[in-house]
Amino acid sequence: SIEEELCGLRFRVSPNAFLQTNTEMAERLYGAVREYAALTGAETVWDLYCGIGSIGLTLAANALTVWGIEVSEESVARAIENAELNEITNAAFFAGNVGLAIEELGDRSGPPDLVVVDPPRAGLAGKALRRLGRIGAPRIVYVSCNPTTLASDLKTLREQFGYELRRAQPVDMFPHTPHVECVTLLEKTGSTRES
């Protein structure tokens, strides 16, 4: 493994686990996530597609609890190790398919006040997207590396589940390439229409 420092925390990364390679811009990305999260210390935060825990652990100091789900068992092992490495005791990480594990997570943690999602380029899979919408968290911070799938997922969250896009911040992770991350804030409004 290698060790990297981000946002004042240490992260161990193994060959098959994911971490943003441009660490300077990753700190800006995580800073935008923290700003949009606007945590007060009383919130239950879900970190879906948590990887090695980098986003969730940077939020933990300002949250009541952080609960992460990731399909890669190796990444979850690193997330747990990274929580211990940084002496963070209010974060828990579990291996599982996000679309299937959301309901179990709700049973363990109770309803979330904030959900952070950082899915792969394909965006949120249909089941994960629908279950996320049905949970009805007051706020979602959606981090995306693919503007096309982000637009599609945001449209579904707006039209079917009553979320409105409040803010968006692109982060140029790799200058002189088309690869741009985007951090968005969605807030729940009014009644929803489930399909």
Side-chain angles (χ1 to χ4, degrees):
S1 66
I2 62 168
E3 194 169 296
E4 184 65 73
E5 185 173 323
L6 280 170
C7 303
L9 299 175
R10 294 166 46 203
F11 292 96
R12 288 199 183 127
V13 187
S14 51
N16 294 321
F18 177 80
L19 178 71
Q20 296 284 353
T21 56
N22 184 338
T23 54
E24 183 177 343
M25 292 308 289
E27 287 188 334
R28 290 188 184 202
L29 179 77
Y30 297 164
V33 171
R34 274 195 316 273
E35 178 185 341
Y36 288 8
L39 298 172
T40 65
E43 295 87 358
T44 296
V45 177
W46 288 8
D47 182 9
L48 307 182
Y49 307 93
C50 67
I52 63 166
S54 52
I55 292 177
L57 292 174
T58 61
L59 296 176
N62 298 312
L64 178 65
T65 57
V66 173
W67 300 78
I69 299 177
E70 169 63 49
V71 72
S72 164
E73 291 183 13
E74 181 177 344
S75 292
V76 169
R78 287 296 181 198
I80 293 167
E81 181 181 13
N82 288 328
E84 292 170 359
L85 182 66
N86 291 285
E87 300 178 359
I88 295 172
T89 58
N90 63 334
F93 299 95
F94 304 94
N97 177 296
V98 170
L100 301 175
I102 284 178
E103 290 175 354
E104 181 183 344
L105 180 57
D107 293 340
R108 287 182 184 209
S109 75
D113 300 296
L114 171 73
V115 177
V116 177
V117 295
D118 187 5
R121 290 192 67 73
L124 294 170
K127 188 177 286 187
L129 181 61
R130 288 189 304 275
R131 289 188 174 165
L132 174 63
R134 287 187 189 117
I135 288 163
R139 292 175 298 136
I140 298 171
V141 175
Y142 190 136
V143 180
S144 174
C145 61
N146 186 341
T148 303
T149 56
L150 173 65
S152 174
D153 288 351
L154 294 185
K155 181 179 179 186
T156 299
L157 288 168
R158 180 177 51 82
E159 292 179 354
Q160 294 183 22
F161 301 102
Y163 282 93
E164 290 296 329
L165 176 64
R166 298 297 186 204
R167 297 178 72 185
Q169 174 65 55
V171 179
D172 190 359
M173 297 298 289
F174 301 101
H176 308 293
T177 74
H179 301 291
V180 175
E181 295 270 343
C182 191
V183 180
T184 61
L185 172 63
L186 298 105
E187 290 182 346
K188 184 84 167 155
T189 62
S191 60
T192 62
R193 296 186 322 266
E194 293 184 12
S195 59

